[in-house]
Amino acid sequence: MPNLGPTELIIIAVVIILLFGAKKLPDMARSLGRSAKIFKAETKGLRDPDASDEPAQQQPVQQQPQQLPPAQPQVQQQPQVAPPIEQTQQNKANS
């Protein structure tokens, strides 16, 4: 297999960007990373015969209650409606 130099790598990168679009590449990379993480976890489970599907029993961690802001009364908001369009003689003639 021939060695890939910087020129070839740049050409390959440009072709990939043109094929998939710059907006989709970060989403594709994120999806690929998640898939690799899941695959790694699954293969680790297959390699370790001691590992089971159930998580190990751990000491429960005490969580401090979260401080919630004081509840404010909910005010029913009226939907905003645009003012009616005035009918002019020109509008009536066009309709």
Side-chain angles (χ1 to χ4, degrees):
M1 185 170 173
N3 292 335
L4 294 177
T7 307
E8 291 85 5
L9 292 176
I10 291 172
I11 292 172
I12 291 171
V14 168
V15 169
I16 289 174
I17 289 173
L18 290 175
L19 286 176
F20 296 109
K23 291 184 178 182
K24 291 185 181 180
L25 286 178
D27 293 334
M28 291 173 59
R30 192 174 304 118
S31 176
L32 185 64
R34 288 180 185 154
S35 299
K37 184 177 180 181
I38 292 171
F39 181 74
K40 182 180 176 183
E42 292 295 324
T43 56
K44 182 179 179 184
L46 292 175
R47 282 184 281 161
D48 297 337
D50 298 336
S52 63
D53 291 336
E54 298 178 16
Q57 295 291 331
Q58 297 179 352
Q59 295 287 337
V61 177
Q62 290 184 344
Q63 295 180 355
Q64 295 180 357
Q66 295 179 349
Q67 295 289 334
L68 298 176
Q72 297 177 354
Q74 292 184 353
V75 177
Q76 187 84 14
Q77 293 184 353
Q78 296 293 330
Q80 295 181 353
V81 180
I85 299 173
E86 295 181 21
Q87 292 290 325
T88 62
Q89 294 299 330
Q90 185 179 8
N91 290 345
K92 290 180 184 178
N94 290 338
S95 26

